[in-house]
Amino acid sequence: MFSFSRFSRKPRIAAIGCIVFVQLAIFSILIWLLGVESKSPPRPSHLDRTVLSRDDGQTGGPIVSIAGDGWLLVEQFSAHHALILKVETERLWATKSITQELIEPVISSYNEVLVYFYLTTEKNSLPIRRVQWTKDCGYVEMDLRE
């Protein structure tokens, strides 16, 4: 029969302590790795009309203009050769021209673009207009609050 009394308790306690220490170290490293956030470039506080052609990692495609005359790009998403933009403006009569200004520099990268327009005064509301661009149909405007 096997008996633990033959072995000293100090080496066993030391071995168990080492195992616990290694597990805690691995756990701490995993927590640290999960907590590391990627640094995204800060959003400019002023109106910037520069068109950037690099990939920002969030959209999966080129970045479009951030702002223009009377409008501000709030969000952008892309996937599977489609781009979705959220724009705040008071110039609802100019949605097609704003869309053209936004997407002309990057239009070759997408098959479809949807631009949703919101009033700057109506935060957290539904969009008022949508402009869709596709290679087949071009620009199609739609009122969403009729």
Side-chain angles (χ1 to χ4, degrees), residues 47-93:
L47 297 182
D48 182 9
R49 297 194 62 161
T50 307
V51 176
L52 304 173
S53 61
R54 65 178 174 80
D55 187 345
D56 72 347
Q58 292 179 317
T59 62
I63 299 174
V64 297
S65 296
I66 295 172
D69 185 24
W71 58 267
L72 175 67
L73 177 66
V74 179
E75 291 181 58
Q76 64 177 334
F77 306 97
S78 69
H80 307 288
H81 303 287
L83 177 64
I84 300 172
L85 304 173
K86 179 179 175 181
V87 176
E88 289 181 354
T89 187
E90 292 296 322
R91 299 174 51 209
L92 293 176
W93 50 268

Side-chain angles (χ1 to χ4, degrees), residues 80-140:
H80 307 288
H81 303 287
L83 177 64
I84 300 172
L85 304 173
K86 179 179 175 181
V87 176
E88 289 181 354
T89 187
E90 292 296 322
R91 299 174 51 209
L92 293 176
W93 50 268
T95 55
K96 185 176 177 183
S97 64
I98 293 171
T99 300
Q100 289 171 333
E101 184 180 346
L102 272 165
I103 71 171
E104 287 297 327
V106 297
I107 207 165
S108 62
S109 300
Y110 300 102
N111 295 329
E112 180 178 19
V113 179
L114 295 169
V115 183
Y116 291 92
F117 290 91
Y118 298 77
L119 281 173
T120 54
T121 57
E122 293 184 13
K123 304 289 184 193
N124 302 321
S125 67
L126 297 173
I128 294 177
R129 295 196 71 140
R130 182 191 80 187
V131 178
Q132 177 186 27
W133 174 87
T134 61
K135 290 182 178 184
D136 295 335
C137 298
Y139 294 92
V140 177

